[in-house]
Amino acid sequence: MDDLAAAYVKLVLAVGQHDPDYVDAYYGPEHWKPPSGAPRSIGELRDETARLLDGISAAAASDSMDILRRDYLLGQVRAVDARLRMLAGERFTFDEESRALYDAVAPTHGEDYFAGTLSDLDARLPGTGPVPERYETFKRQFVVAPKRLDRVFGAAIDACRARTRDHLALPAGERFTVEYVTGKSWSGYNWYQGGATSLIQVNTDLPIYIDRAIDLAAHEGYPGHHVYNALLEEHLVRGRGWIEFTVYALFSPQSLIAEGTANFGIDVAFPGPERVAFERDHLFPLAGLDPARAGDYYAMLALTDRLAYAGNEAARQYLDGRMSREAAVTWLETYALQPRARAEQRVRFFEQYRSYVINYNLGKDLVRAYIEARGGTAEDPARRWSEFGALLSTPRLPSALIS
């Protein structure tokens, strides 16, 4: 299996020469990187993918971890083949693409699904007029001033790190640095460097609301992407010699696990009432916001959480050619309650990353269901952390979270 894993790593790196977004992280042997210049043809890479799939399917597995490893590699290599087919010009529907790349399909919801939440917001929001405009007026009161952002974000990181370290054994010397950037289609990104280190970038193109401090600190850092990658490196690369985890193919089933655990990790680190209390007592004052408004703010956000799948619908219809770009922006303004600039940024994300959007909300829901089915409920936080840590440290496919 080790030889097959090495071949997988080299294959992913070769695909990365055709797709600049494909290799999200690599910290394996430097000499495995393909030489610069003319890349190998997509046809040649597909032939290699087919041989690799045959080899992995025939490989023996002696225990439960070996079975997980084999199944994981099969899922990852199948996704490599799907991405190569896309690069060769083959067209997939949104759902066909998400199943092929991420081993999952998000539920479909029509406008009626979101209408009830908009009605509830209409009753709760002050003022009159369209709900999206009133919601944006409400949220604008909770923007973190740029001069306060680094201080607020730093406090959120410290709190997320402390809570994670209380429950998970992190590698010695783990760390990350933070940069503030502009001109991106995403709001935050973790670039894992290997050696338990990450670079986290925060996009400041648009206003950053107070809730994004904990969201980004937990999702990108603790116990999200940074911890996920560091634990995989510690337990699987260093602990077992599984070289396949030195490379992260972005358009693959691993991303649903990565994004799902990163989003659910926010709730693991900061269950609702604890989060409100912490932000009221610490982050709101640092941001220069009225702490007495924290409860109202999070009550409103709890309502809008029910609109989480609105972005999936915009992406599905737009990428399937059933909705124009302008209509997708309008849909996001109406049903995701995003101001126009943010909605346009989100559509740019759809255009760059396509069906990747399902990994955030569907991923979170699948991870939550999996952990709660194993006893990791909000009523048993110790068990929740234990199951969460185990999921971060083992190879799993999204379909395995359902079975």
Side-chain angles (χ1 to χ4, degrees), residues 1 3-12 15 22 45-57 69-85 100-101 103 244 247 249 251-254 397:
M1 189 70 79
D3 289 342
L4 295 167
Y8 161 76
V9 173
K10 295 172 184 177
L11 175 62
V12 169
V15 177
Y22 193 65
L45 295 177
R46 286 205 65 199
D47 289 343
E48 183 174 332
T49 300
R51 291 192 294 271
L52 191 52
L53 284 171
D54 288 342
I56 296 169
S57 298
R69 184 189 191 189
R70 182 182 62 194
D71 291 348
Y72 170 85
L73 274 172
L74 279 172
Q76 291 293 112
V77 177
R78 288 176 181 136
V80 172
D81 184 63
R83 190 62 181 176
L84 286 170
R85 289 159 61 193
L101 295 180
D103 193 34
E244 62 267 33
V247 72
F251 304 111
S252 73
Q254 185 179 2
L397 291 174

Side-chain angles (χ1 to χ4, degrees), residues 111-131:
E111 295 181 48
D112 289 348
Y113 178 84
F114 307 108
T117 297
L118 294 182
S119 179
D120 290 343
L121 284 165
D122 189 26
R124 290 284 299 273
L125 286 165
T128 59
V131 168

Side-chain angles (χ1 to χ4, degrees), residues 339-373:
R340 186 169 185 86
R342 198 171 299 274
E344 290 174 338
Q345 182 190 64
R346 193 62 176 164
V347 172
R348 292 197 299 274
F349 185 94
F350 300 161
E351 292 166 343
Q352 183 173 359
Y353 296 104
R354 300 183 55 81
S355 63
Y356 192 93
V357 295
I358 74 158
N359 295 326
Y360 299 101
N361 41 42
L362 180 63
K364 178 181 179 179
D365 289 346
L366 292 181
V367 167
R368 180 191 298 277
Y370 173 82
I371 289 176
E372 290 183 347

Side-chain angles (χ1 to χ4, degrees), residues 38-312:
R40 295 159 62 195
S41 72
I42 289 176
E44 182 182 354
L45 295 177
R46 286 205 65 199
D47 289 343
E48 183 174 332
T49 300
R51 291 192 294 271
L52 191 52
L53 284 171
D54 288 342
I56 296 169
S57 298
S62 58
D63 59 27
S64 60
M65 282 296 286
D66 281 344
I67 293 172
L68 286 176
R69 184 189 191 189
R70 182 182 62 194
D71 291 348
Y72 170 85
L73 274 172
L74 279 172
Q76 291 293 112
V77 177
R78 288 176 181 136
V80 172
D81 184 63
R83 190 62 181 176
L84 286 170
R85 289 159 61 193
M86 292 173 64
L87 292 171
E90 186 172 340
R91 302 292 297 175
F92 293 81
T93 67
F94 182 89
D95 290 343
E96 289 170 345
E97 178 185 310
S98 73
R99 185 182 298 280
L101 295 180
Y102 309 116
D103 193 34
V105 174
T108 299
H109 299 297
E111 295 181 48
D112 289 348
Y113 178 84
F114 307 108
T117 297
L118 294 182
S119 179
D120 290 343
L121 284 165
D122 189 26
R124 290 284 299 273
L125 286 165
T128 59
V131 168
E133 292 178 11
R134 288 156 58 202
Y135 180 68
E136 178 57 22
T137 298
F138 172 81
K139 283 203 73 178
R140 204 176 294 130
Q141 303 170 74
F142 301 93
V143 170
V144 180
K147 65 182 180 180
R148 294 177 179 264
L149 180 59
D150 191 57
R151 192 185 328 160
V152 172
F153 192 41
I157 290 170
D158 289 344
C160 289
R161 179 190 288 119
R163 286 174 175 243
T164 300
R165 283 179 169 172
D166 283 344
H167 297 278
L168 301 179
L170 302 182
E174 60 79 20
R175 65 197 183 280
F176 63 73
T177 56
V178 177
E179 290 182 354
Y180 298 97
V181 299
T182 58
K184 306 297 181 182
S185 65
W186 36 258
S187 60
Y189 212 107
N190 178 298
W191 304 97
Y192 192 66
Q193 312 290 299
T197 63
S198 295
L199 168 64
I200 293 177
Q201 293 183 324
V202 178
N203 186 3
T204 59
D205 278 337
L206 299 173
I208 295 178
Y209 304 108
I210 185 64
D211 58 292
R212 293 300 288 158
I214 289 292
D215 282 356
L216 288 170
H219 181 101
E220 307 295 348
Y222 303 94
H225 290 324
H226 173 68
V227 172
Y228 172 67
N229 285 299
L231 291 183
L232 288 179
E233 181 179 11
E234 177 80 3
H235 292 285
L236 301 185
V237 178
R238 300 184 184 280
R240 292 177 174 268
W242 290 3
I243 195 70
E244 62 267 33
F245 287 94
T246 62
V247 72
Y248 178 6
L250 187 67
F251 304 111
S252 73
Q254 185 179 2
S255 281
L256 188 138
I257 304 296
E259 300 294 359
T261 52
N263 265 357
F264 184 56
I266 300 169
D267 296 340
V268 174
F270 274 95
E274 293 183 28
R275 176 172 181 171
V276 175
F278 174 81
E279 296 207 21
R280 179 195 64 215
D281 297 340
H282 299 281
L283 299 190
F284 270 62
L286 285 174
L289 303 176
D290 181 2
R293 304 290 308 281
D296 290 341
Y297 183 63
Y298 278 96
M300 199 68 72
L301 290 190
L303 274 178
T304 61
D305 279 348
R306 289 153 43 184
L307 301 172
Y309 280 81
N312 285 13

Side-chain angles (χ1 to χ4, degrees), residues 369-380:
Y370 173 82
I371 289 176
E372 290 183 347
R374 299 169 70 85
T377 62
E379 293 72 31
D380 190 348

